[in-house]
Amino acid sequence: MKAVIISAYGKADQLYLADIDVPKVAEDEVLVAVEATSINPIDWKARQGMLQPVYNWSFPVVLGWDLAGTIVQVGPAVKKFKVGDDVFARPDNYKDGKKGTYAEYAVVKEDKLALKPANLSFEEAAGIPLAGLTAYQVIKDQLKIRAGEKVLIQGGAGGVGSFAVQLAKYFGAYVATTASPQNEVFLKEIGADEVIDYHTTKITDVLHDYDAVFDTVNEIDAGISILKPNGRLVTIAGNPSEKQKSGSQSGEKQTK
Ligand SMILES: NC(=O)c1ccc[n+]([C@@H]2O[C@H](COP(=O)([O-])OP(=O)(O)OC[C@H]3O[C@@H](n4cnc5c(N)ncnc54)[C@H](OP(=O)(O)O)[C@@H]3O)[C@@H](O)[C@H]2O)c1
């Protein structure tokens, strides 16, 4: 099959088209003919070698964490899906680094698959899994956003941020978000109550006593500063210092 691979870490010119073997399907996996994939920040971070402490891959490596496509083969233990189903998924990370989604075919475990809604194109569906799941895990499971809470999503116009704004609103929160001015209309359409232009306004000047902050832009200290005592902050963009994690800057605040 054709796949876009890298044979060394580096810039985008390390990506090239190659012929590689179609991955073998395990008992609990399906093989998907990939119609669309998407690009997330993890793709360029991995390409540049920033994930070497996490993934011990040998080259060539196939990147890509999202797919939408059609099932062409099912393993014998697969129960809920069949050949011909249109699906979308964020496949598992495979240790060999050769089963990414920049390829004509990719394997996915049954428990990581969902049927693609008929009203979504393959391209639209492939934009959802990684960013959508990240936002869902943070808003629902980690921050545990409840109705009536005040929540700030830093970077609301991004892939993760735009799902987070919608989910926080769905759970009944008052949602503030930071963005460039050209994204204000879009963010209000998807549920933001307040959009702050981060180019001209500091959140610390306009927000206070927030219950929760979801940081997607690595501005942890600013986020902590607007929390009320016992407020919660989760970051997916930075590494909180011990001081930030302990909440010693501001009493009881919790940072993950
Ligand atoms: N994508 C994922 O599934 C995922 C998973 C785990 C971790 N992460 C990490 O989370 C971060 C965001 O990922 P993403 O996929 O959402 O990125 P993205 O789609 O590239 O979005 C980045 C957004 O950040 C906004 N931005 C940049 N600087 C900002 C600032 N100072 N204040 C407020 N907004 C700012 C920009 O908004 P404007 O256009 O409005 O300026 C841009 O739309 C990355 O560090 C990524 O590695 C992502």
Side-chain angles (χ1 to χ4, degrees):
M1 67 171 179
K2 289 194 169 45
V4 173
I5 67 170
I6 56 169
S7 293
Y9 293 119
K11 295 184 180 166
D13 58 9
Q14 292 296 337
L15 293 160
Y16 64 94
L17 200 60
D19 276 310
I20 62 170
D21 292 339
V22 175
K24 290 199 169 41
V25 178
E27 290 214 330
D28 58 348
E29 289 177 339
V30 307
L31 185 68
V32 177
V34 178
E35 294 285 342
T37 184
S38 71
I39 298 174
N40 293 282
I42 194 172
D43 293 79
W44 65 259
K45 291 179 184 181
R47 172 177 40 76
Q48 291 185 359
M50 292 166 68
L51 302 187
Q52 287 182 75
V54 187
Y55 301 123
N56 184 23
W57 295 323
S58 58
F59 292 111
V61 166
V62 183
L63 299 172
W65 274 261
D66 278 322
L67 66 74
T70 304
I71 295 177
V72 293
Q73 189 184 338
V74 295
V78 171
K79 296 202 167 52
K80 295 181 186 157
F81 296 89
K82 60 183 187 316
V83 169
D85 284 345
D86 291 338
V87 292
F88 65 136
R90 183 274 200 232
D92 280 331
N93 296 321
Y94 290 90
K95 281 189 183 152
D96 64 5
K98 300 185 194 312
K99 295 178 185 146
T101 59
Y102 291 4
E104 281 185 298
Y105 298 94
V107 288
V108 188
K109 282 202 191 311
E110 179 175 26
D111 66 358
K112 301 298 180 314
L113 278 175
L115 288 171
K116 181 182 78 62
N119 62 345
L120 286 188
S121 67
F122 286 110
E123 289 80 4
E124 287 167 335
I128 293 174
L130 182 57
L133 283 169
T134 301
Y136 184 81
Q137 285 164 351
V138 173
I139 294 295
K140 178 171 175 290
D141 301 334
Q142 297 183 326
L143 287 173
K144 297 184 171 47
I145 298 302
R146 295 180 292 268
E149 289 193 313
K150 289 200 294 184
V151 181
L152 170 67
I153 314 291
Q154 285 162 303
V160 178
S162 54
F163 282 109
V165 166
Q166 295 172 77
L167 288 164
K169 193 70 188 172
Y170 174 80
F171 288 120
Y174 176 88
V175 182
T177 189
T178 52
S180 292
Q182 67 270 20
N183 292 319
E184 180 171 355
V185 171
F186 161 67
L187 284 163
K188 290 206 163 148
E189 276 172 7
I190 65 170
D193 296 291
E194 189 173 346
V195 181
I196 296 145
D197 176 357
Y198 66 87
H199 300 280
T200 57
T201 308
K202 288 185 183 166
I203 56 169
T204 47
D205 289 341
V206 290
L207 304 180
H208 55 86
D209 291 331
Y210 267 62
D211 297 285
V213 171
F214 181 11
D215 169 45
T216 75
V217 297
N218 195 15
E219 293 190 359
I220 300 169
D221 282 336
I224 289 175
S225 300
I226 66 146
L227 287 173
K228 57 167 69 161
N230 293 318
R232 297 100 68 198
L233 182 146
V234 169
T235 182
I236 57 165
N239 293 312
S241 64
E242 287 310 311
K243 191 176 170 195
Q244 289 168 330
K245 277 196 239 177
S246 71
S248 58
Q249 287 191 327
S250 42
E252 302 296 318
K253 298 167 186 179
Q254 305 162 9
T255 303
K256 285 187 185 169

